[in-house]
């Protein structure tokens, strides 16, 4: 049984720094590309980058534009396909509003973080994903700020692989999606990756 549509959000504000202060983290080139490719691989419908910083939004638009409409689009159609999923928003609330607009009113956020111990385990999250359109929320820096948390936003338990726990957000997102979605896939709002790729190749031939 395929899960309901799913999306991911990478939050750059509000997040915590090493001292526990609320800050805005910088968008990295790797996060733009790698999480878009990850989203496409697992059949997700959207990838949101959350940052209110205008200069960071401009940077993302320039990088994504090169691969979606610029010279990179013809050079690497697969990357163009992946980056078509990308949308930049000011706040997590904006991402949720957009997600519920396209996925339906049952859309909800599922927060992730290295410090969560009393949240949902993977089997519970899978059951939730069968019924509701999840927006998986990942934080940069040293994790999501407390103001992101709300009673209607459950948390996924932290990845536990051993005593060391300091994964990059890209690695953590890949592990979470593989454990949660695996090879079963999700119901993508944009059609299958194969269908999207065929349509893309038809328009660029």
């Amino acid at each position: 049984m395929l899960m309901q549509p799913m999306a991911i959000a990478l939050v750059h504000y509000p997040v915590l720094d090493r001292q526990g202060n609320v800050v805005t983290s910088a968008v990295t080139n790797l996060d733009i590309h790698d999480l878009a490719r990850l989203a496409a691989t697992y059949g997700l419908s959207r990838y949101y980058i959350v940052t209110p910083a205008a200069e960071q939004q401009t940077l993302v638009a320039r990088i994504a534009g090169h691969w979606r409409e610029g010279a990179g689009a013809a050079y690497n159609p697969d990357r163009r396909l992946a980056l078509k999923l990308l949308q930049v928003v000011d706040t997590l609330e904006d991402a949720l509003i957009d997600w519920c607009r396209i996925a339906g009113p049952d859309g909800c956020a599922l927060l992730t973080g290295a410090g969560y111990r009393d949240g949902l385990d993977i089997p519970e999250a899978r059951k939730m994903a069968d019924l509701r359109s999840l927006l998986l929320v990942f934080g940069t820096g040293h994790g999501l700020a407390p103001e992101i948390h709300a009673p209607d936003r459950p948390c996924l338990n932290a990845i536990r692989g051993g005593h060391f726990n300091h994964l990059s957000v890209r690695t953590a997102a890949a592990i979470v999606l593989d454990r949660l979605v695996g090879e079963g896939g999700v119901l993508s709002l944009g059609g299958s990756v194969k269908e999207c790729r065929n349509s893309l190749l038809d328009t660029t031939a």
Side-chain angles (χ1 to χ4, degrees):
M1 177 179 177
L2 292 177
M3 295 177 174
Q4 296 302 307
M6 190 179 295
I8 55 174
L10 183 62
V11 176
H12 293 82
Y13 177 86
V15 294
L16 302 177
D17 66 8
R18 189 181 298 272
Q19 287 74 41
N21 301 309
V22 177
V23 297
T24 302
S25 63
V27 178
T28 72
N29 191 25
L30 281 175
D31 289 341
I32 296 172
H33 291 283
D34 286 1
L35 288 179
R37 292 158 62 186
L38 181 67
T41 297
Y42 285 93
L44 274 57
S45 300
R46 288 290 187 278
Y47 163 34
Y48 298 97
I49 287 181
V50 181
T51 177
E55 68 277 9
Q56 296 290 297
Q57 293 186 1
T58 300
L59 173 65
V60 175
R62 180 170 60 82
I63 293 172
H66 171 76
W67 296 103
R68 291 195 293 207
E69 295 94 21
Y75 175 76
N76 193 332
D78 282 339
R79 188 160 298 188
R80 179 185 176 190
L81 170 66
L83 286 169
K84 284 169 67 71
L85 302 177
L86 174 63
Q87 185 166 338
V88 182
V89 293
D90 290 337
T91 66
L92 178 58
E93 287 71 22
D94 290 337
L96 278 166
I97 290 171
D98 185 72
W99 180 235
C100 289
R101 177 184 62 81
I102 63 175
D106 69 334
C108 66
L110 178 59
L111 309 184
T112 70
Y116 299 150
R117 300 289 184 273
D118 300 317
L120 302 179
D121 58 23
I122 289 295
E124 290 172 322
R126 284 200 195 105
K127 291 178 182 178
M128 188 177 179
D130 286 338
L131 301 173
R132 306 191 66 179
S133 300
L134 298 185
L135 175 62
L136 296 173
V137 182
F138 297 90
T140 54
H142 284 260
L144 300 167
E147 60 202 81
I148 289 286
H149 296 79
D152 61 343
R153 296 176 184 173
C155 302
L156 185 67
N157 283 337
I159 296 168
R160 306 310 302 171
H163 296 295
F164 188 82
N165 185 18
H166 193 65
L167 298 171
S168 70
V169 69
R170 297 180 301 280
T171 302
I175 293 172
V176 167
L177 279 174
D178 193 67
R179 290 180 179 178
L180 183 60
V181 177
E183 295 183 0
V186 297
L187 292 171
S188 174
L189 293 170
S192 71
V193 171
K194 182 178 180 181
E195 289 169 347
C196 290
R197 181 178 289 113
N198 289 340
S199 174
L200 179 60
L201 291 175
D202 287 344
T203 60
T204 57

